[in-house]
Amino acid sequence: MIETYPNIDEVTAKWAFERYQAIRHTLPAASFPATSTQVGGLTDLANHFDVFLLDAFGVLNVGQSAVKNAPEVVHALQLSGKKVMVLTNGASLPVKEAQIKFKNLGFNFTLEDIVASRDALCHGLTHRFTQKQCPTLWGVMARPDSQIHTLPLDGVVLGEDASLFDKVNGFILLGASFWTKHQQRLLIQSLRQNPRPVWVGNPDLVAPNEDHFSLEPGYFAHQLSHIGGVTLHFFGKPFPAIYELACARLKHPPKQRILMVGDTLHTDILGGAAYGVKTALVTGHGLFANLDVTPYIAQSGIIPDYIMASP
């Protein structure tokens, strides 16, 4: 996926969907139901599932605001004895910061209830490399407050110094809110001259905010796929490691009693289906807010088990 940096007003649901379709061949394969069932919300499904895995952006919150009634719905599920977990591709901050954010939005999640793609990345860093294989210095795409010292690595936050891009032995893409066109050019140039591993802590292409979509690390990562010798490793939905981490915390409950709830076909729904759990697409908020999702489902062939306007 090679293209110029888009303007904010160009980044729409249709734009994002087309780019997800363009990278579909890089995503997991999955089986889907023949059709979706329309439901009023999660309370309609409370008797069918024991575990609810909820995406954050577009399901629990949009930008810095809670989705209307989402805290009440989550609380009711928790009171009824259901296990409710957040499965988020947000990798910029440690989950402790996410827990504080959710509390301020009206949710009550323990640290064990929140599984982030940052956790999957950390798990990969500690289990995939031998000591000899692991890059000795990582260059990290991250916002200034990302607390990269909490990651199991030696790393530096990348600025606009080209020599730093050339100095590091590998790259980690955590958060793109401060990433610039110039930095992306430096990254591409450095990798062309010296291919190194690129680990992506957030596979999302975009994220919904109150009045616009933001570009996320996955968007910038896929621009690197054409560079010879560069191997991309993704952590987070729709890839399996984040689901495995969540279910391991629950001692692997029966998959037929687990529901993945999200607003994006190519991450939440595809990822849940690929892992073998049931899925529900939220259409009133997030990527497809107030759009007819029928043509998007038909074109992608990614079919959720359930569709609901709000959680």
Side-chain angles (χ1 to χ4, degrees), residues 32-33 35-38 259 269 277-280 303-307:
F32 304 98
T35 60
S36 303
T37 300
Q38 193 83 34
L259 181 69
I269 305 307
V277 302
K278 298 296 184 180
T279 62
I303 305 170
D305 292 282
Y306 303 98
I307 296 176

Side-chain angles (χ1 to χ4, degrees), residues 197-236:
V198 178
W199 285 38
V200 187
N202 181 349
D204 287 351
L205 303 187
V206 303
N209 291 275
E210 286 90 342
D211 57 359
H212 70 281
F213 290 102
S214 58
L215 295 175
E216 299 301 317
Y219 173 76
F220 299 100
H222 283 286
Q223 292 187 16
L224 312 174
S225 61
H226 66 287
I227 302 175
V230 172
T231 302
L232 300 172
H233 298 277
F234 291 92
F235 299 89

